[in-house]
Amino acid sequence: MDNLITLHNGVDEGVSVIQSTDISHHSFAFDQNMNPCIVYNKAGTTYCYWYDPVKGEQTTMEFDVYMESPQVSLDDHRHQLGSSDIILSYTREDKLCYRQQRDRYQIEYILGDARNQKLTQIGMSKNNRFQFRLVFDWRNE
């Protein structure tokens, strides 16, 4: 049976945006214009389905196999259209890393050490700070 990632508006049937047999992980967010951003692992490779304003359409970007536990989130949900980004965060080779929408996800930024940790959640906290939730991953010890 195929794995489907389908978007629904609550009224209509919905639109399948990703269909594959090997999706093992996914995370999604919406930008300030309600364009979906979906990051997912398929057969060990990470992909990001997002709205590219340069192309003016949704596009899928392929990353290498070293991205682990990728997560996406809008960094600031307040009404600041010009300064908010969808953040794509992940671990790579024991480092916590991220890429941002304004760079078209082309530039990797390293935040720090993430040895034996798995990224499980990212997002804006109650005190308006963007945070990363890492948990100990005993399988890599």
Side-chain angles (χ1 to χ4, degrees):
M1 181 173 185
D2 288 346
N3 294 329
L4 296 174
I5 298 177
T6 305
L7 300 177
H8 293 272
N9 65 7
V11 178
D12 300 322
E13 275 188 36
V15 177
S16 293
V17 293
I18 298 166
Q19 182 174 357
S20 176
T21 57
D22 297 330
I23 296 174
S24 61
H25 169 85
H26 76 279
S27 174
F28 71 93
F30 293 95
D31 67 16
Q32 289 282 16
N33 293 317
M34 292 305 294
N35 296 307
C37 178
I38 304 168
V39 63
Y40 59 99
N41 287 93
K42 175 183 168 185
T45 301
T46 300
Y47 298 87
C48 185
Y49 174 81
W50 65 290
Y51 182 80
D52 184 345
V54 173
K55 292 181 179 179
E57 62 186 22
Q58 292 288 139
T59 187
T60 299
M61 183 177 224
E62 181 178 338
F63 295 98
D64 60 50
V65 297
Y66 299 105
M67 269 189 185
E68 296 179 18
S69 59
Q71 303 288 328
V72 288
S73 181
L74 185 64
D75 64 353
D76 193 343
H77 295 87
R78 296 172 292 178
H79 299 284
Q80 299 177 21
L81 291 174
S83 62
S84 62
D85 280 303
I86 291 183
I87 302 297
L88 165 59
S89 188
Y90 50 91
T91 57
R92 174 198 300 280
E93 300 173 343
D94 295 331
K95 301 288 183 204
L96 177 61
C97 306
Y98 79 94
R99 296 171 186 249
Q100 56 191 11
Q101 184 181 17
R102 76 180 65 200
D103 297 330
R104 300 181 70 229
Y105 304 110
Q106 299 291 319
I107 301 171
E108 180 178 75
Y109 300 93
I110 297 174
L111 292 171
D113 185 43
R115 187 169 179 259
N116 294 332
Q117 297 181 67
K118 179 179 178 178
L119 182 65
T120 60
Q121 187 177 5
I122 63 172
M124 182 75 81
S125 66
K126 290 179 184 178
N127 62 354
N128 293 327
R129 303 276 185 196
F130 196 82
Q131 295 184 327
F132 303 82
R133 181 174 185 253
L134 294 158
V135 297
F136 180 71
D137 189 357
W138 56 271
R139 295 170 294 170
N140 293 328
E141 190 172 71

